[in-house]
Amino acid sequence: MTNHFIDFINTDVFMMIGSNSAENHPQAMKWIVKAKDKGAKLIVVDPRLTKSAGLADVHVRLRPGTDIAFINGMVNYIIENNLYFKDYVLHYTNASFLVNPEYKFEDGVFSGLTEKDGKKTYDTKTWQYQMDGDPAKDGIREEAIKKDLTLQDPNCVFQILKKHVSRYDLKTVSSITGTPKETLKKVYDLFASTGKPDKAGNVIYAMGITQHTYGSQNCRALAVLQLLLGNIGIAGGGVNAQRGESNVQGSTDFAMLNHYLPGYNPMIYAYKHSKLQDYLDKDVPKTSYWSNRGKFLISMLKAWYGDKATKENDFCFDWIPKHDNKNRSHMGIFSDMAEGKIKGMIAWGQNPAVGGPSSFQGRKAMEKLEWLVAVDLFETETAAFWHRPEADPSKIKTEVFFLPAAMSYEKEGTVTNSGRWLQFRYKAVDPPGEAKSDLWIADRLFKAVKKEYQSGGKFPDPILNMVWNYDKPGEEEPNIDQVAIEINGYNVTTKEVLPGFAQLKDDGSTACGCWIHSGYWAMDKEAGTVAAKRKLLKDKSGLGLFPQFAFAWPANRRIVYNRCSADPAGNPWNPKKALVKWDAVAGKWVTADVPDFKAADPPKDPKDPNAKPTPVPPDKTVPFFMQEEGRGRLFAVKGVNDGPLPEHYEPIESPVKNILSKQQNMPLATRFKGDFSKLAETASEKYPYVGTTHRVIEHYQSGAVTRNCPTLAEISAHMFANISPTLAQKIGVKTGDDVVIETVRGQITCKVSVSGVCVPLIVDGKEVEVIGMPWCFGYQGIAKGASANDLTPSVGDPNTNIPEYKAFLCNIKKAGKH
Amino acid sequence: MRKISRRDFLKNLGLGTAGLTLVASPALASESHSKITGEKLPAKIRKVKETYTVCAFCGCGCGIILYTNNDNKIVFCEGDPDHPINEGSVCSKGNAIIDTYNTIEKKGNRVINKLRVTKPLYRAPGSTKWEEKSWEWALSEIAKRIKSTRDATFEEKDDKGVTVNRTTAIATFGSASLDNEENYLLHKMFRSWGLLNIEHHARL
Ligand code: SF4
């Protein structure tokens, strides 16, 4: 989230799209309702009449997978009717920047599309700015970019965007989405009303936006919209992803993802980084705050390899494995597993046998493993894959180990919520029986493997020399303080805990495991404890910032991009909700939140105790200082690989043809071979209905924990599908009947719920029925049920490789009638 | 006498709102409370230990207080009234968080959730059952599997001669359910083995 939950109180209009907070983020919904009580309005955009939609001022029903058409339609409406926030757009976005005149967009495809060995990619040369000098050498320096401040030049970003979205008129959007024109106009007007200096519009999204073959472009469309309305960086605004798990923010920050190192430093790739210098040259931007990336990486290497990491040996750069640039995302791994390329698997607090796409095929692929280790509280479907209903254990040769883990309150540690707050939680009870904390298990497993390598083996250096000093005399548990200090960062010589990442160096004098969290373990004297453990309820701003409650990364900043909350001269757009303000008389910034820009230069002589920092005047500050050009990108010259502007494509499995262009699907969508290649054709007669998945309030993710909790299992005990009364009549079922739902990948049997949650939509003159299914069930636990993911396709977004769970084709029949 | 709110009570106790884990011993908590307020603490929290935690489920990050009795059973939980996000309320999942540890049997007594796995388990190739094992055995056997797979598939250089030090034959999944410090150690450990296939929930 750019903002945080309490900040929702400052919102005037919410647009919740592809998210159902009332069910999946109930406390977020509480803050929305509080804001509504003060007069705020809520728009919910969802194919289903969700619990959130039930609380909305306007519910926009659209066909699953047509969000870009809906959002681009709004962007078009805003530009056509002059409803955008002109000063903000001019000064804080790249609207005026000129783009290469060879940039083109024709019939659904951007310039630069190339195909090699059946794989499509974009050469992004023509998407770049017109600029002086050599951006490869000097970076994308804002001063060097050619601009037209009148926004009239046909090659300026604003004109390119305007032309691009002009095709998304109300009638076209309505034909694609199935939403009536009147509803579209109503919500476009309502949300556009936040394009004023004193109004805040808040976009709330979740997996309904990301789980598409164009999920990144869905997010981009939302960012473009919010930039046009001047809603980024302000109290009550932002683009706010609602994260589904208690620590998915933290696990993402710590790079439990193949393509990252902790703190969003890119992974090291063999094809471009044979030496540390290659990484510094190619992946450390010349401009923006990311120009410090070298310090972050080198400090991480020092944290990992201590004294062994020296300047002479590239700080042990070669001890980190180098990526082969193959698809090593969830779907890529399972596809490799089906081909027998994966020998060993560790499922540590995750249940892919229920949570992965095409899960029937996924479980079958697991039979090819030589060994599997599951670390969990309960025997999950993944741990139990060898005795699942459709399997014969005697034929499965996989060795399976199960390690019993501790629940959150049977151990200590921090978790990061959706608003980027790191919070410490304490231990209430010992884990039952011989169950152990995951920290203990990680510690002992590392030591067990190290012991094996003591007597030799392939390249043991990174294992034998990894800094692993977490023993605490007389105690079983590893020393969590020591782990936290390593993450936070310390001075290598003095061992002093660093106050923040500004102190990090690239000369090996600092160590820091994850730079973005630097400061979370620094002492807050007033609170008498480290930042992540603080619980001071002080809110001087009155805006709900609570700066001394927990720690928000980065740098305890609660609302990112907050320079944009004030005009170029530093006067808050909305003085009642000021985050930062330039005091012209005193000649300095007055800040309620930690500024997301350089508000002052450090004292010239750091040794002089009387030296003061020099304030940076407003015109010298940069609104988006994590971006190389320092501006919000209406047009993305980099960051996404599948197009500089969002364009509507159909889901890979769609009931209709794309009416906007000949390009039916996202040209770069990730696809797989073999078992994972099964897809229904466009407008399939065999699979005429649109399926989509969702969650329920009682179950967490795949249900691996909550289906083992008696109270929750009792409240939500059955797998079900929601269908419309018209579809129910057609197939002859009523609520509570058993139905069989089938896709080209498999079938499931479950109960049916007939209500107004789903209704048919009129899409380009054709009636389209939508079937909604929760994905939290499986064959283990107290509440058992069929897994919706047995139906979902293995196709993904080209940037993120997130599967297209949210729109696929299926058929439904009454059970027993074949 | 003015009714003292829970928040005031904690402030008076000197914990203030900097209130860390509230693991004052049960006797101490109730005694200090009555000294300050002249009132008795509500029965439900009088004889129990309080622990502050943050919910383990969705990304809202609600503060929850757990109440543990002398028998080390968690008897009650509630949203932390001093948490600025949830202000004392929790949803059905947060409210059921105790269930993962102990559940209530028909007769009303609390027992450890019977579905929790409390010993390391092993299932041999082709076998139809789990066997209970010691931690020592399980960890050392797993370490042997990791080593043999790693050593059999390790690439020191790729076909262009670049030092790569990796294996692509082991994959890990997880976890958004683990703490930050745990994820950090896992990431570090997996990379030290040379793994590329590190994935978790954020992809799904
Ligand atoms: S109590 Fe409910 S709303 Fe709060 S964090 Fe837990 S799951 Fe989310």
Side-chain angles (χ1 to χ4, degrees), chain A residues 700-769:
Chain A
Y700 172 55
Q701 300 296 104
S702 73
V705 175
T706 48
R707 280 187 287 108
N708 288 290
C709 292
T711 40
L712 296 170
E714 190 176 334
I715 311 172
S716 179
H718 301 286
M719 173 61 190
F720 64 94
N722 268 307
I723 62 169
S724 74
T726 44
L727 182 54
Q729 201 177 24
K730 195 165 159 200
I731 64 167
V733 294
K734 57 183 187 321
T735 294
D737 286 351
D738 284 339
V739 288
V740 175
I741 305 173
E742 194 185 348
T743 67
V744 69
R745 291 158 292 276
Q747 62 172 47
I748 63 168
T749 303
C750 64
K751 302 259 173 237
V752 71
S753 169
V754 183
S755 65
V757 166
C758 293
V759 297
L761 297 164
I762 306 300
V763 176
D764 202 16
K766 179 179 160 182
E767 201 174 76
V768 174
E769 292 277 4

Side-chain angles (χ1 to χ4, degrees), chain A residues 655-814:
Chain A
V656 293
K657 285 223 166 93
N658 187 355
I659 62 166
L660 265 184
S661 73
K662 282 216 239 19
Q663 185 63 42
Q664 172 74 4
N665 303 127
M666 160 58 73
L668 272 58
T670 327
R671 296 164 187 258
F672 295 89
K673 295 205 183 83
D675 254 11
F676 294 102
S677 65
K678 292 178 182 169
L679 294 164
E681 66 201 27
T682 301
S684 160
E685 280 176 24
K686 201 163 169 211
Y687 305 107
Y689 310 121
V690 176
T692 190
T693 62
H694 61 85
R695 306 201 312 184
V696 294
I697 189 168
E698 293 83 9
H699 290 304
Y700 172 55
Q701 300 296 104
S702 73
V705 175
T706 48
R707 280 187 287 108
N708 288 290
C709 292
T711 40
L712 296 170
E714 190 176 334
I715 311 172
S716 179
H718 301 286
M719 173 61 190
F720 64 94
N722 268 307
I723 62 169
S724 74
T726 44
L727 182 54
Q729 201 177 24
K730 195 165 159 200
I731 64 167
V733 294
K734 57 183 187 321
T735 294
D737 286 351
D738 284 339
V739 288
V740 175
I741 305 173
E742 194 185 348
T743 67
V744 69
R745 291 158 292 276
Q747 62 172 47
I748 63 168
T749 303
C750 64
K751 302 259 173 237
V752 71
S753 169
V754 183
S755 65
V757 166
C758 293
V759 297
L761 297 164
I762 306 300
V763 176
D764 202 16
K766 179 179 160 182
E767 201 174 76
V768 174
E769 292 277 4
V770 178
I771 303 178
M773 289 161 261
W775 63 275
C776 54
F777 288 95
Y779 44 82
Q780 290 286 104
I782 306 169
K784 296 185 174 70
S787 301
N789 278 326
D790 284 7
L791 305 176
T792 52
S794 287
V795 287
D797 176 281
N799 299 284
T800 63
N801 283 298
I802 290 178
E804 191 155 69
Y805 289 118
K806 287 291 181 267
F808 55 90
L809 290 181
C810 61
N811 197 9
I812 186 167
K813 287 181 222 155
K814 187 168 182 170

Side-chain angles (χ1 to χ4, degrees), chain B residues 42-79:
Chain B
K44 69 180 184 192
I45 58 172
R46 207 181 305 146
K47 285 200 179 136
V48 291
K49 180 185 87 174
E50 295 184 0
T51 309
Y52 173 71
T53 189
V54 173
C55 180
F57 299 119
C58 90
C60 287
C62 296
I64 294 180
I65 299 173
L66 299 168
Y67 297 92
T68 313
N69 69 11
N70 291 335
D71 189 27
N72 268 318
K73 295 289 180 317
I74 307 174
V75 293
F76 184 68
C77 77
E78 64 181 346

Side-chain angles (χ1 to χ4, degrees), chain B residues 85-110:
Chain B
I85 295 174
N86 61 309
E87 302 172 311
S89 63
V90 280
C91 78
S92 52
K93 279 193 295 297
N95 204 34
I97 197 165
I98 305 174
D99 274 21
T100 57
Y101 179 72
N102 51 221
T103 58
I104 301 179
E105 282 193 322
K106 283 231 169 72
K107 278 180 243 127
N109 52 323
R110 289 188 168 79

Side-chain angles (χ1 to χ4, degrees), chain A residues 239-345:
Chain A
V239 177
N240 292 304
Q242 311 285 286
R243 308 224 55 177
E245 297 102 342
S246 53
N247 200 31
V248 70
Q249 186 62 55
S251 50
T252 309
D253 300 341
F254 281 98
M256 303 311 283
L257 294 164
N258 76 88
H259 66 305
Y260 276 128
L261 291 169
Y264 303 96
N265 283 326
M267 184 52 183
I268 299 165
Y269 284 82
Y271 79 94
K272 58 175 177 174
H273 303 132
S274 43
K275 292 269 165 301
L276 173 62
Q277 196 57 47
D278 296 325
Y279 191 97
L280 302 179
D281 290 344
K282 294 173 189 164
D283 276 273
V284 178
K286 307 287 182 292
T287 56
S288 87
Y289 201 76
W290 280 118
S291 60
N292 293 301
R293 177 172 279 153
K295 300 174 186 166
F296 310 150
L297 180 79
I298 290 168
S299 295
M300 186 201 83
L301 290 168
K302 281 301 284 182
W304 289 15
Y305 289 113
D307 293 344
K308 297 281 177 207
T310 62
K311 202 160 185 240
E312 293 64 44
N313 69 5
D314 264 4
F315 299 101
C316 300
F317 183 77
D318 277 346
W319 289 8
I320 312 273
K322 291 196 186 69
H323 204 294
D324 56 6
N325 209 22
K326 299 209 171 107
N327 191 328
R328 305 222 161 266
S329 71
H330 183 106
M331 291 188 287
I333 295 173
F334 269 85
S335 162
D336 274 3
M337 205 182 289
E339 290 178 28
K341 292 183 188 160
I342 309 285
K343 310 286 177 206
M345 163 170 161

